[in-house]
Amino acid sequence: MIDKCRVLYKGDMIAGIVYIIVGFFLLMFAFILHIFTISPGYLYLSYGFFMFFLYCTGKGIVMYIMYSQKYNHYKNTDSLSPLMIKEEQNYTNYRIQKKNTNRRRYIWILIISCIISFTGIFLSQKSLLMGTAIPIALISGIELCIGLLTEFRLREYQRILKKTH
């Protein structure tokens, strides 16, 4: 059972690294767009990518630090007590509920920002609408995908915890 805890938190550390990598891709795109700006839309897009670079790298660093502490705790632990299993069940249930709530939010944000960016094609404020809505749709899609992958791992971990308890 202790191996399952280590695997879960190792996966969460990898998710943090993925956020950091995505953040640096967003920084690269923001830098390129800012240098080769030919319209106000690209300028707004570069600002949005830069803001989400800050968000992704910050979230990735916090996730990596937080879950590496838990990973190291379980790496130095030989076996789980019933109290530790109960705490893991409560924490896993909390994380699953949080993922469910956030999934609904990300889906709605993704839909709304896609609609806004599509309608921006036909309006005179094209650069402002598309330059702000595209990065929001992109980061919502990334958050949704990584959140779903994490939720699948958490549900399997929860099933193993219930079986153990």
Side-chain angles (χ1 to χ4, degrees):
M1 182 62 211
I2 195 77
D3 293 334
K4 305 293 185 202
C5 294
R6 291 177 190 150
V7 167
L8 177 80
Y9 291 117
K10 184 72 170 177
D12 289 335
M13 289 167 51
I14 292 171
I17 292 171
V18 168
Y19 272 113
I20 293 169
I21 291 170
V22 167
F24 280 105
F25 275 119
L26 290 173
L27 178 66
M28 182 179 66
F29 290 140
F31 185 69
I32 291 170
L33 284 173
H34 193 72
I35 289 175
F36 299 112
T37 299
I38 57 174
S39 72
Y42 290 120
L43 186 64
Y44 294 135
L45 193 60
S46 71
Y47 292 158
F49 282 161
F50 181 74
M51 295 303 291
F52 285 121
F53 151 73
L54 295 174
Y55 170 76
C56 283
T57 53
K59 183 174 182 172
I61 290 169
V62 168
M63 281 178 64
Y64 187 83
I65 290 170
M66 189 171 74
Y67 293 123
S68 66
Q69 289 173 350
K70 283 193 169 275
Y71 175 75
N72 289 332
H73 170 72
Y74 286 113
K75 191 176 180 181
N76 297 328
T77 303
D78 294 330
S79 64
L80 290 176
S81 67
L83 179 63
M84 291 173 77
I85 292 174
K86 187 67 175 165
E87 287 176 1
E88 278 297 311
Q89 283 178 334
N90 291 338
Y91 185 60
T92 304
N93 287 335
Y94 163 73
R95 286 183 67 191
I96 288 173
Q97 292 301 321
K98 190 174 158 188
K99 294 287 179 197
N100 285 335
T101 304
N102 288 340
R103 182 177 355 115
R104 279 184 238 110
R105 286 181 188 152
Y106 292 137
I107 289 172
W108 278 108
I109 290 171
L110 184 63
I111 291 169
I112 291 169
S113 58
C114 285
I115 290 170
I116 289 172
S117 64
F118 180 74
T119 55
I121 296 171
F122 306 108
L123 298 176
S124 60
Q125 295 86 11
K126 177 188 304 192
S127 60
L128 182 61
L129 291 174
M130 292 178 70
T132 55
I134 289 173
I136 293 171
L138 179 68
I139 202 68
S140 295
I142 291 169
E143 287 277 352
L144 180 66
C145 292
I146 294 175
L148 282 173
L149 292 173
T150 303
E151 186 179 348
F152 293 148
R153 287 186 304 109
L154 285 171
R155 289 209 184 269
E156 182 63 24
Y157 182 61
Q158 182 185 39
R159 186 185 66 78
I160 292 169
L161 283 172
K162 284 182 180 177
K163 215 175 3 175
T164 304
H165 191 63

